[in-house]
Amino acid sequence: MAGKRNIRELNLVELKEYFESIGDKKFRAIQAYDWLWKQHTRSFDEMSNLSLDLRKKLAEDFSLNAITVDLTQQSSDGTFKSRFRTYDGHLLEGVIIPTEKRNTACVSSQIGCSLSCKFCATGMMERKRNLDFDEIYDQVAILNQQSLDTNGNGLTNIVYMGMGEPLLNYKNVLKSIDRITASDSMNMSPKRITVSTAGVAKMIRQLGDDKVRFNLALSLHAATDEKRDRIMAINETNNIKALIEALNYFYEQTKNDITLEYVLLKGENDSLEDAKELVKVYRKIPTHLVNVIEYNPVYGIPFIKSDEDSTQTFTDYLVSQKVNVRIRRSRGKDIDAACGQLANKSKELAN
Ligand code: SAH
């Protein structure tokens, strides 16, 4: 297997050159490209308008490392979680969250995560490897099909909020978005895509330099370095000041939406004092929204969600300060499909 080229790394011109080089017609490339990017075909065998010999030749010359669905679970609230298997046997998860107006897919960017945020289930797994761009793309294509099959509508939005830190798999994440938004593929608007980061200042700036067209969410979760250091180790090297500067740069370069995410942890970051600190940071960032997130319990992690009263006091204060705030109630909890619960636990259920 080693040494075979991933066919999805070839653009149409390169694919045409390949077909010419084996003495075939150039238009075969258009057919193959259509199978790969419009039909989302998972194997050369499925390319039924190519001759058997040609399919065999393609399989000899190239790999097609599609992910496959291993297990799908549906929550009582309509949320779907799918567990996928990569060509080399790793498991990862993606979720569809249907609401009245939207069908949002939440996709993973890495297998495991290297960041170890103290409250997150994925953070307890080690990082196994980055996902390739086509594996990220496959999640979106499969979830889109599942969404069409179950509620008749395709995906309207995509969030990179599954397993992993997208900005530590920068190239593949950007390339996957390139494919999702390409007119010869899924043709989604980048405005409907949000990449969420724990805060890698250098790469946030890089997004600005690359003039990306999708939106960004920062997992802030604490508004002073002292508190943020405690729950997110990444803050030691990417402190709040560095993140504020990077986000301002990103906004100057792109004018894309920035959301701040703030998960309320009881007794840790949910006091009125914490809300005041959050407003100070909010004022320094060109953000349009603070998403206050209900914490989802994770087995083995001591944090619990903020109680109703504290949540109310916290958000009331933000509202009184004219902060545009939205409370994001958790979805899919009964199947561990909620934020920060993705850690392949379904593996144990299935075995
Ligand atoms: N690494 C990226 C994306 C993955 S996490 C990031 O950190 O943004 C997606 C969001 O879920 C983040 O805001 C994350 O902090 C939050 N999250 C993690 N664990 C959670 C939990 N148990 N309950 C609620 N939100 C959680």
Side-chain angles (χ1 to χ4, degrees), residues 22-76:
I22 60 166
D24 213 314
K25 305 203 175 51
K26 267 205 240 176
F27 77 86
R28 295 272 176 236
I30 297 171
Q31 292 175 317
Y33 204 75
D34 190 77
W35 280 112
L36 293 173
W37 296 113
K38 282 258 191 231
Q39 317 294 331
H40 313 301
T41 204
R42 316 268 164 72
S43 89
F44 296 109
D45 288 339
E46 291 170 19
M47 300 183 172
S48 55
N49 56 359
L50 304 184
S51 71
L52 276 176
D53 280 351
L54 190 52
R55 284 183 244 167
K56 211 168 134 228
K57 172 80 179 144
L58 286 175
E60 275 165 20
D61 289 348
F62 295 107
S63 59
L64 178 48
N65 297 333
I67 63 169
T68 50
V69 180
D70 200 53
L71 179 78
T72 296
Q73 293 172 283
Q74 185 172 15
S75 157
S76 52

Side-chain angles (χ1 to χ4, degrees), residues 103-347:
N103 270 319
T104 304
C106 174
V107 295
S108 297
S109 56
Q110 297 181 314
I111 296 162
C113 189
S114 59
L115 293 184
S116 312
C117 298
K118 293 263 172 15
F119 46 84
C120 179
T122 313
M124 298 203 299
M125 304 169 66
E126 67 179 299
R127 191 200 77 112
K128 299 272 176 25
R129 71 165 169 84
N130 282 339
L131 287 170
D132 283 335
F133 80 99
D134 47 347
E135 296 173 317
I136 302 174
Y137 173 86
D138 280 344
Q139 294 173 68
V140 176
I142 294 172
L143 293 172
N144 186 49
Q145 192 57 51
Q146 286 180 343
S147 177
L148 281 168
D149 293 346
T150 52
N151 58 30
N153 299 309
L155 301 174
T156 59
N157 295 72
I158 298 168
V159 294
Y160 282 64
M161 293 189 188
M163 296 161 65
E165 168 49 46
L167 297 192
L168 293 180
N169 186 13
Y170 189 88
K171 270 200 196 136
N172 284 308
V173 164
L174 261 63
K175 212 167 159 192
S176 69
I177 294 174
D178 181 62
R179 287 286 86 213
I180 294 163
T181 55
S183 59
D184 62 12
S185 183
M186 286 186 77
N187 204 13
M188 266 193 86
S189 163
K191 295 275 157 242
R192 297 191 164 272
I193 301 177
T194 300
V195 169
S196 179
T197 178
V200 188
K202 188 173 156 207
M203 302 322 285
I204 293 172
R205 286 175 173 274
Q206 187 66 47
L207 290 172
D209 287 336
D210 288 338
K211 302 271 191 290
V212 299
R213 291 164 57 225
F214 51 81
N215 302 315
L216 190 61
L218 173 73
S219 296
L220 186 65
H221 305 327
T224 64
D225 282 328
E226 191 217 338
K227 286 214 166 172
R228 202 164 185 269
D229 279 348
R230 265 211 317 256
I231 54 175
M232 298 178 76
I234 190 173
N235 198 64
E236 285 159 25
T237 43
N238 293 262
N239 65 20
I240 294 176
K241 181 165 176 285
L243 293 174
I244 291 172
E245 284 167 7
L247 289 172
N248 275 282
Y249 183 76
F250 170 83
Y251 188 74
E252 271 165 34
Q253 299 299 314
T254 68
K255 296 283 182 285
N256 297 339
D257 287 353
I258 298 173
T259 307
L260 295 182
E261 316 239 38
Y262 196 100
V263 61
L264 281 181
L265 305 167
K266 188 179 167 78
E268 179 68 29
N269 65 357
D270 64 343
S271 69
L272 187 57
E273 205 42 51
D274 293 315
K276 288 181 181 168
E277 294 294 341
L278 175 55
V279 172
K280 285 188 208 158
V281 172
Y282 174 85
R283 301 245 187 272
K284 295 181 188 154
I285 297 175
T287 173
H288 75 303
L289 178 67
V290 174
N291 255 333
V292 169
I293 307 173
E294 184 185 353
Y295 182 63
N296 303 304
V298 176
Y299 183 75
I301 290 182
F303 290 114
I304 56 173
K305 73 173 190 174
S306 186
D307 56 52
E308 282 301 321
D309 282 355
S310 310
T311 303
Q312 200 60 48
T313 312
F314 191 93
T315 49
D316 282 352
Y317 179 76
L318 297 185
V319 171
S320 77
Q321 297 302 303
K322 306 265 181 301
V323 174
N324 184 23
V325 53
R326 185 172 65 187
I327 303 186
R328 210 169 71 199
R329 299 280 170 195
S330 167
R331 301 281 307 266
K333 274 189 276 200
D334 54 339
I335 54 167
D336 282 337
C339 285
Q341 291 188 315
L342 299 183
N344 293 333
K345 200 162 129 200
S346 42
K347 182 171 57 195

